[in-house]
């Protein structure tokens, strides 16, 4: 039988961001309010 | 109940309409691709994390300010944002190489002035003059094509249109012009080098 020279690929871990990053983004999104008045844009972050 | 997978466009619309869970779904759906894309460029987990976060901050701000126009291309749009942030990162982190002059090392060993010196300039001017004199000796039709091609940078199509001949004739005239020039140069043993 023909010899296989290719090495078995080590299953790479799926690259994912940290849970803290996702959690920060979701909290940031909830806290952020953007209001547009004419040409002006106001951003406010609720604590 | 069947698990309905909402398309990105619907999730974006829901998010803009105030549904915060839609953002969580969008991030969960695309995080691996976006994170992997950033990591493949910067090869550093911490920097990847920062760029990933900045990407979504931009996404959130754009969506909340209703500046995003839905064209069914949410992922390519996010990828484009992360790509721009990666470029910014590399631009900022690019350091200028610093060389200090010492007794063993002279800055001029790595710095050169590539502009031609006076001698080279005179030689190239002379070559230009000689070449122009030779071109003047060519038959009128060949000279015309050569000047239009080499000095006026016209295409053979344009030359053919302007001189009222076919492209093949223009090409043929150019060929004969170059052959004649070569002949004269060889015959008179003219050296045209810089």
């Amino acid at each position: 039988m023909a010899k296989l020279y290719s090495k078995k690929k080590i299953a790479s871990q799926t690259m994912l961001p940290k849970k803290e990053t996702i959690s920060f983004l979701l909290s940031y999104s909830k806290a952020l309010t953007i209001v547009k008045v004419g040409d002006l844009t106001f951003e406010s972050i609720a604590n | 109940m069947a698990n309905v997978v909402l398309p990105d466009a619907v999730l974006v619309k829901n998010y803009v309409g105030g549904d915060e869970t839609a953002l969580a779904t969008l991030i969960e759906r695309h995080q691996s691709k976006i994170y992997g894309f950033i990591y493949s460029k910067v090869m550093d987990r911490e920097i990847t994390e920062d760029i990933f976060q900045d990407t979504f901050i931009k996404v959130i701000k754009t969506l909340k300010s209703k500046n995003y126009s839905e064209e069914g291309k949410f992922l390519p749009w996010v990828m484009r944002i992360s790509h721009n942030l990666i470029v910014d990162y590399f631009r900022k982190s690019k350091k200028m190489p610093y060389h200090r002059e010492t007794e063993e090392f002279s800055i001029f060993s790595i710095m050169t002035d590539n502009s031609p010196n006076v001698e080279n300039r005179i030689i190239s001017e002379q070559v230009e003059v000689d070449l122009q004199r030779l071109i003047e000796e060519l038959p009128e039709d060949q000279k015309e094509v050569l000047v239009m091609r080499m000095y006026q940078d016209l295409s053979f199509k344009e030359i053919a249109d302007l001189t009222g001949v076919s492209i093949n004739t223009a090409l043929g005239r150019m060929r004969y012009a170059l052959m004649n020039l070569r002949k004269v140069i060889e015959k008179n043993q003219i050296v045209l080098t810089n």
Side-chain angles (χ1 to χ4, degrees):
Chain A
M1 208 177 119
K3 193 180 171 186
L4 289 174
Y5 289 93
S6 57
K7 280 185 187 169
K8 199 177 175 184
K9 200 180 171 190
I10 301 160
S12 59
Q13 271 186 313
T14 323
M15 303 280 281
L16 288 175
K18 285 181 195 160
K19 279 190 181 130
E20 293 91 319
T21 309
I22 305 291
S23 156
F24 165 80
L25 286 168
L26 296 176
S27 309
Y28 174 79
S29 168
K30 274 180 199 158
L32 180 73
T33 313
I34 296 182
V35 183
K36 273 187 170 181
V37 181
D39 290 344
L40 300 170
T41 307
F42 297 96
E43 284 179 21
S44 62
I45 306 230
N47 274 323
Chain B
M1 202 181 99
N3 194 7
V4 183
V5 179
L6 290 174
D8 289 351
V10 176
L11 289 169
V12 169
K13 202 177 159 200
N14 291 350
Y15 176 64
V16 173
D19 179 8
E20 289 289 333
T21 56
L23 179 72
T25 314
L26 281 167
I27 293 178
E28 202 184 338
R29 187 176 289 174
H30 300 299
Q31 59 180 347
S32 167
K33 268 187 195 147
I34 296 160
Y35 194 87
F37 169 69
I38 301 167
Y39 185 79
S40 73
K41 305 285 176 203
V42 299
M43 302 303 275
D44 182 296
R45 284 306 267 258
E46 291 302 312
I47 297 160
T48 304
E49 208 76 37
D50 285 351
I51 295 178
F52 180 87
Q53 188 173 298
D54 289 349
T55 302
F56 273 95
I57 286 177
K58 214 156 192 171
V59 168
I60 291 166
K61 279 187 178 175
T62 311
L63 292 179
K64 289 225 169 189
S65 57
K66 299 184 173 60
N67 284 334
Y68 174 71
S69 60
E70 175 55 55
E71 290 166 4
K73 289 175 182 170
F74 177 75
L75 182 61
W77 173 60
V78 182
M79 293 288 238
R80 171 60 47 190
I81 295 173
S82 58
H83 174 264
N84 290 342
L85 290 170
I86 293 164
V87 172
D88 286 350
Y89 160 73
F90 280 116
R91 207 172 279 157
K92 273 183 211 155
S93 64
K94 196 177 165 191
K95 289 187 180 71
M96 292 287 283
Y98 181 72
H99 299 287
R100 189 185 290 276
E101 180 141 343
T102 60
E103 273 179 33
E104 298 88 43
F105 171 74
S106 162
I107 192 72
F108 294 108
S109 66
I110 56 162
M111 274 176 76
T112 50
D113 179 11
N114 290 323
S115 59
N117 58 24
V118 178
E119 192 190 342
N120 286 338
R121 251 191 340 250
I122 292 171
I123 293 172
S124 35
E125 274 167 25
Q126 192 57 52
V127 168
E128 286 285 322
V129 171
D130 286 350
L131 195 57
Q132 271 167 15
R133 212 174 287 155
L134 290 173
I135 292 168
E136 283 302 318
E137 298 298 317
L138 287 171
E140 200 53 43
D141 55 348
Q142 293 172 20
K143 187 170 81 182
E144 187 181 42
V145 175
L146 189 131
V147 170
M148 281 178 167
R149 182 75 196 106
M150 305 310 289
Y151 291 92
Q152 294 164 11
D153 205 26
L154 297 178
S155 69
F156 281 106
K157 168 100 180 53
E158 290 165 326
I159 295 169
D161 290 344
L162 284 168
T163 53
V165 296
S166 69
I167 296 177
N168 272 340
T169 309
L171 283 165
R173 285 179 183 173
M174 181 72 184
R175 186 164 166 265
Y176 279 111
L178 294 176
M179 278 164 59
N180 284 333
L181 274 182
R182 216 165 276 149
K183 252 188 235 165
V184 178
I185 290 166
E186 276 166 21
K187 194 177 161 191
N188 298 301
Q189 295 185 330
I190 300 165
V191 181
L192 291 173
T193 48
N194 191 351

